Structure formats: C-alpha cells, structure tokens
Amino acid sequence: MADPYKTLGVARDSTEADIKKAYRKLAKELHPDRNKDNPKASERFSQVTNAYDLLNDKDKRARFDRGEIDGDGNPAAPFGFGGGGGGRAQPGGGFRSEGYETGGPDMSDIFEGLFGGAQRGGGGFSSGFGRRAQPKGENVAYRLQVPFVEAATLEPQRVTLADGKTLDLKLPAGVETGTQMKLGGKGEPGPGGAGDAILTIDVQPHRFFTRDGDDVRIDLPISLAEAVLGGSIKAPTVDKPVMLTIPKGTTSGKTLRLKGKGFHKKGGGRGDQLVTLMIDIPANDAALATFVEGWKDHGAGNPRGAMGV
C-alpha cells in the first residue's frame, strides 16, 4: 500500500510547509502538460497529488499516522471495510469515490503558485467531485523592440518565444511604445490549459525621423541655392523616397506636408509626414563670403525688425 510520505519524499514529522514545498516541486516536474509523451509521469503525478490530498488534510493525516486509514484513504482493518475501489459508505457519513471525498482540501492555492493566475469565482484546481474549475497556467511577459520604420508601415515581426517556437506577429494600427498584444495559449502550461504570452511593444528611435501622434516629422537639409532658386529634391519617407518641390525663396523652418506618409491610424487611414526645411550653409566657403559681402547692402533690411531689435 502506498505511503504518502514516501511518495512525496518527506519525513513523517515534516511540517505542512515542507509537505507543500515537496508537492509543488514534484507537481511541476510531472504535470501532464509537460510530459505529454510520458504516461508514467502522468501516473506519478496522480500518485503525488493523492498523497498531498491526504497529508494536507489534518484529520486524514492524523488518522493515517494512527493506522486508521491506508495511503489511499481507505479504512484499515479493523476500523472499516478495507481494500477495493469505487463509491462506498464512510464512517460518519458522506460519499467517497476512488479515494476522493466531497468537501476535501482545496488544491487551488498549490496550482496558483505553480501555474499562476487563479480564476476567482470559478477558477481553481479540481481534483474531485464538487471542486472548482482548474486554473490556466501563468502568463509570460515579453518586450518586443520594433524598428521605427517597421512600426510605421506595420511590417510583420518574427517573434521567438521561450519554448523556442517562432511566429510572425501582425502589428496593430496605431501601434506605439507601450502597446500590449496577447497571444492566447502561448504562456506557461497549467492544469486548466496554458496561460498567455503578453507582448509589450517598444518602438525604437530613428536617426532622423521622429513621431508626432500619427504624423512623422523630419528636418530636411537643403542647399542655399535650392532655397533661393527652388526646385525638386528627393526626400526620404518611411515608405520610400519621394520627390519634393521646394518653392523659390524658401527660408529655414518652412514646413511642407506629405499626405499619407505617417503611421497607420487605429480608425483607418494614415498620418502625414511633416518636412521642415533647414538651409545648410557651407563653412569656410570663400566665394560665398565674397558674394555676400558685395550683396549685403542690397538685402531686405533687418529681418528682426518686427521683434523690436
């Protein structure tokens, strides 16, 4: 007949905490979700669960220690019927089936610790008649770093989970740093099924693009000649470069708008790209310096006059 102490690998004088710790370790190692191709592990899991079921009940443990019941919880001669399975009457009333008794110890706290996420008001571990539904496994948190351009264009992301499996993740419209995505059943295994994988998105900064809501901003350098004379230049966007028309007489700080070149919006459509033109003056250009010296008296006056300075 099975000895629950030996089954759990603990001494007879072990404390409740020692017994609980031993059971947690064995249950995690032997749980069927982690040993799908090992029927012996499943059988052993059932044995350690039954052993803990008995020793976790103070009354049953005391009766076993006194020799009144065996390791399966059945009455030992001369205290009762002995042997056999199935439903049977018990001293003091009640019904017992295959070693489980209605109203027995609640195992939910054990599996909450093992697999996390107990489901209150309907969650919990069920090891017999009248017990609560089994809890799912623990959720697993991931942080996914997404390049700026790929976040703006919703480029699918290849994700490798803790179990080594990979999958292609479709980013949602409106994605930003802090956005969370749930992958159902991709977390830790549990008696009620696997938990979820929770991914938190971290959009990486770009070397020249910045984000402004659903819009993308960029400071675009232009030459003095392009600013004075105007013309068409190539400008980068999160999709691909486009041609941008520079008006004659453009000053630094002028902003042009490229429609639909921003981030995808939650409600549909896309933001814009705002291009701020910045005139790049070459350093130590003698010819330009000579030209400006001869031209400055023909300028438009004090450009700061409106500021009173």
Side-chain angles (χ1 to χ4, degrees), residues 152 214-215 237-239 257-265 269-273:
D214 292 319
D215 294 332
T237 74
V238 294
D239 296 312
R257 184 182 296 270
L258 296 174
K259 292 282 190 179
K261 296 298 181 181
F263 278 75
H264 290 259
K265 300 179 180 180
R270 294 180 65 175
D272 303 326
Q273 179 168 309

mmCIF file of all heavy atoms in Angstrom, residues 152 214-215 237-239 257-265 269-273:
data_model
loop_
_atom_site.group_PDB
_atom_site.id
_atom_site.type_symbol
_atom_site.label_atom_id
_atom_site.label_comp_id
_atom_site.label_asym_id
_atom_site.label_seq_id
_atom_site.Cartn_x
_atom_site.Cartn_y
_atom_site.Cartn_z
ATOM 1 N N ALA A 152 5.849 52.072 -38.304
ATOM 2 C CA ALA A 152 5.051 52.998 -39.114
ATOM 3 C C ALA A 152 4.365 52.291 -40.273
ATOM 4 O O ALA A 152 3.229 52.615 -40.645
ATOM 5 C CB ALA A 152 5.932 54.135 -39.634
ATOM 6 N N ASP A 214 0.156 60.595 -34.932
ATOM 7 C CA ASP A 214 0.187 59.681 -36.080
ATOM 8 C C ASP A 214 1.049 60.223 -37.211
ATOM 9 O O ASP A 214 1.187 59.575 -38.257
ATOM 10 C CB ASP A 214 -1.237 59.424 -36.596
ATOM 11 C CG ASP A 214 -2.076 58.621 -35.613
ATOM 12 O OD1 ASP A 214 -1.535 57.669 -35.032
ATOM 13 O OD2 ASP A 214 -3.261 58.955 -35.430
ATOM 14 N N ASP A 215 1.611 61.404 -37.018
ATOM 15 C CA ASP A 215 2.452 62.021 -38.044
ATOM 16 C C ASP A 215 3.922 61.683 -37.810
ATOM 17 O O ASP A 215 4.338 61.349 -36.697
ATOM 18 C CB ASP A 215 2.290 63.542 -38.047
ATOM 19 C CG ASP A 215 0.893 63.986 -38.457
ATOM 20 O OD1 ASP A 215 0.239 63.240 -39.215
ATOM 21 O OD2 ASP A 215 0.451 65.067 -38.009
ATOM 22 N N THR A 237 11.046 59.038 -46.898
ATOM 23 C CA THR A 237 9.832 58.814 -46.117
ATOM 24 C C THR A 237 9.927 57.415 -45.505
ATOM 25 O O THR A 237 10.828 56.648 -45.841
ATOM 26 C CB THR A 237 8.550 58.906 -46.969
ATOM 27 O OG1 THR A 237 8.435 57.734 -47.785
ATOM 28 C CG2 THR A 237 8.533 60.154 -47.836
ATOM 29 N N VAL A 238 8.976 57.058 -44.630
ATOM 30 C CA VAL A 238 9.005 55.723 -44.023
ATOM 31 C C VAL A 238 8.688 54.634 -45.043
ATOM 32 O O VAL A 238 8.970 53.453 -44.798
ATOM 33 C CB VAL A 238 8.014 55.634 -42.832
ATOM 34 C CG1 VAL A 238 8.463 56.537 -41.698
ATOM 35 C CG2 VAL A 238 6.586 55.978 -43.275
ATOM 36 N N ASP A 239 8.110 55.005 -46.185
ATOM 37 C CA ASP A 239 7.819 54.032 -47.246
ATOM 38 C C ASP A 239 8.995 53.932 -48.218
ATOM 39 O O ASP A 239 9.647 52.912 -48.315
ATOM 40 C CB ASP A 239 6.538 54.413 -47.989
ATOM 41 C CG ASP A 239 5.309 54.362 -47.085
ATOM 42 O OD1 ASP A 239 5.146 53.364 -46.374
ATOM 43 O OD2 ASP A 239 4.537 55.332 -47.089
ATOM 44 N N ARG A 257 4.102 69.415 -46.146
ATOM 45 C CA ARG A 257 3.341 68.240 -45.718
ATOM 46 C C ARG A 257 3.241 67.214 -46.846
ATOM 47 O O ARG A 257 2.854 67.550 -47.964
ATOM 48 C CB ARG A 257 1.946 68.642 -45.267
ATOM 49 C CG ARG A 257 1.088 67.499 -44.712
ATOM 50 C CD ARG A 257 -0.298 68.003 -44.326
ATOM 51 N NE ARG A 257 -0.231 68.961 -43.247
ATOM 52 C CZ ARG A 257 -0.285 68.636 -41.945
ATOM 53 N NH1 ARG A 257 -0.418 67.360 -41.596
ATOM 54 N NH2 ARG A 257 -0.211 69.574 -41.028
ATOM 55 N N LEU A 258 3.597 65.958 -46.509
ATOM 56 C CA LEU A 258 3.419 64.845 -47.441
ATOM 57 C C LEU A 258 2.260 63.995 -46.919
ATOM 58 O O LEU A 258 2.371 63.322 -45.882
ATOM 59 C CB LEU A 258 4.700 64.006 -47.533
ATOM 60 C CG LEU A 258 5.928 64.726 -48.102
ATOM 61 C CD1 LEU A 258 7.159 63.835 -47.990
ATOM 62 C CD2 LEU A 258 5.682 65.129 -49.549
ATOM 63 N N LYS A 259 1.150 63.997 -47.627
ATOM 64 C CA LYS A 259 -0.064 63.324 -47.180
ATOM 65 C C LYS A 259 0.108 61.798 -47.151
ATOM 66 O O LYS A 259 0.681 61.205 -48.072
ATOM 67 C CB LYS A 259 -1.238 63.667 -48.106
ATOM 68 C CG LYS A 259 -1.690 65.121 -48.025
ATOM 69 C CD LYS A 259 -2.531 65.371 -46.787
ATOM 70 C CE LYS A 259 -3.178 66.747 -46.823
ATOM 71 N NZ LYS A 259 -4.007 66.996 -45.631
ATOM 72 N N GLY A 260 -0.415 61.177 -46.078
ATOM 73 C CA GLY A 260 -0.469 59.725 -46.002
ATOM 74 C C GLY A 260 0.874 59.034 -45.860
ATOM 75 O O GLY A 260 0.995 57.843 -46.181
ATOM 76 N N LYS A 261 1.875 59.724 -45.351
ATOM 77 C CA LYS A 261 3.205 59.129 -45.195
ATOM 78 C C LYS A 261 3.580 58.952 -43.726
ATOM 79 O O LYS A 261 4.755 58.813 -43.392
ATOM 80 C CB LYS A 261 4.259 60.000 -45.905
ATOM 81 C CG LYS A 261 4.086 60.092 -47.416
ATOM 82 C CD LYS A 261 4.218 58.725 -48.074
ATOM 83 C CE LYS A 261 4.071 58.812 -49.585
ATOM 84 N NZ LYS A 261 4.187 57.471 -50.218
ATOM 85 N N GLY A 262 2.563 58.927 -42.856
ATOM 86 C CA GLY A 262 2.825 58.758 -41.430
ATOM 87 C C GLY A 262 2.465 57.361 -40.939
ATOM 88 O O GLY A 262 2.453 56.392 -41.702
ATOM 89 N N PHE A 263 2.132 57.254 -39.644
ATOM 90 C CA PHE A 263 1.742 55.971 -39.047
ATOM 91 C C PHE A 263 0.306 55.621 -39.414
ATOM 92 O O PHE A 263 -0.522 56.506 -39.682
ATOM 93 C CB PHE A 263 1.864 56.060 -37.517
ATOM 94 C CG PHE A 263 3.252 55.845 -36.997
ATOM 95 C CD1 PHE A 263 4.222 56.831 -37.124
ATOM 96 C CD2 PHE A 263 3.603 54.655 -36.373
ATOM 97 C CE1 PHE A 263 5.502 56.638 -36.652
ATOM 98 C CE2 PHE A 263 4.878 54.448 -35.892
ATOM 99 C CZ PHE A 263 5.842 55.444 -36.032
ATOM 100 N N HIS A 264 0.012 54.333 -39.396
ATOM 101 C CA HIS A 264 -1.364 53.871 -39.616
ATOM 102 C C HIS A 264 -2.202 54.206 -38.384
ATOM 103 O O HIS A 264 -1.788 53.959 -37.248
ATOM 104 C CB HIS A 264 -1.383 52.365 -39.876
ATOM 105 C CG HIS A 264 -0.804 51.984 -41.200
ATOM 106 N ND1 HIS A 264 -1.586 51.672 -42.289
ATOM 107 C CD2 HIS A 264 0.485 51.882 -41.621
ATOM 108 C CE1 HIS A 264 -0.806 51.377 -43.322
ATOM 109 N NE2 HIS A 264 0.452 51.495 -42.945
ATOM 110 N N LYS A 265 -3.403 54.763 -38.621
ATOM 111 C CA LYS A 265 -4.276 55.171 -37.523
ATOM 112 C C LYS A 265 -5.183 54.023 -37.090
ATOM 113 O O LYS A 265 -5.534 53.163 -37.891
ATOM 114 C CB LYS A 265 -5.142 56.363 -37.956
ATOM 115 C CG LYS A 265 -4.366 57.596 -38.361
ATOM 116 C CD LYS A 265 -5.308 58.716 -38.789
ATOM 117 C CE LYS A 265 -4.551 59.965 -39.201
ATOM 118 N NZ LYS A 265 -5.469 61.066 -39.615
ATOM 119 N N GLY A 269 -6.791 54.760 -42.248
ATOM 120 C CA GLY A 269 -6.019 55.833 -42.854
ATOM 121 C C GLY A 269 -4.649 55.965 -42.206
ATOM 122 O O GLY A 269 -4.269 55.199 -41.317
ATOM 123 N N ARG A 270 -3.925 56.971 -42.655
ATOM 124 C CA ARG A 270 -2.583 57.198 -42.133
ATOM 125 C C ARG A 270 -2.366 58.669 -41.835
ATOM 126 O O ARG A 270 -3.036 59.552 -42.394
ATOM 127 C CB ARG A 270 -1.525 56.722 -43.139
ATOM 128 C CG ARG A 270 -1.506 55.235 -43.370
ATOM 129 C CD ARG A 270 -0.439 54.829 -44.363
ATOM 130 N NE ARG A 270 0.922 55.098 -43.867
ATOM 131 C CZ ARG A 270 2.019 54.728 -44.520
ATOM 132 N NH1 ARG A 270 1.927 54.101 -45.677
ATOM 133 N NH2 ARG A 270 3.210 54.993 -44.017
ATOM 134 N N GLY A 271 -1.414 58.942 -40.948
ATOM 135 C CA GLY A 271 -0.995 60.306 -40.691
ATOM 136 C C GLY A 271 -0.144 60.819 -41.841
ATOM 137 O O GLY A 271 0.019 60.144 -42.873
ATOM 138 N N ASP A 272 0.425 62.012 -41.668
ATOM 139 C CA ASP A 272 1.231 62.638 -42.714
ATOM 140 C C ASP A 272 2.697 62.695 -42.288
ATOM 141 O O ASP A 272 3.041 62.438 -41.134
ATOM 142 C CB ASP A 272 0.724 64.059 -42.997
ATOM 143 C CG ASP A 272 -0.755 64.082 -43.395
ATOM 144 O OD1 ASP A 272 -1.200 63.110 -44.051
ATOM 145 O OD2 ASP A 272 -1.451 65.051 -43.041
ATOM 146 N N GLN A 273 3.540 63.056 -43.244
ATOM 147 C CA GLN A 273 4.936 63.358 -42.913
ATOM 148 C C GLN A 273 5.140 64.854 -43.051
ATOM 149 O O GLN A 273 4.816 65.444 -44.083
ATOM 150 C CB GLN A 273 5.905 62.613 -43.824
ATOM 151 C CG GLN A 273 7.367 62.951 -43.510
ATOM 152 C CD GLN A 273 8.346 62.024 -44.192
ATOM 153 O OE1 GLN A 273 8.211 60.807 -44.104
ATOM 154 N NE2 GLN A 273 9.329 62.591 -44.867
#
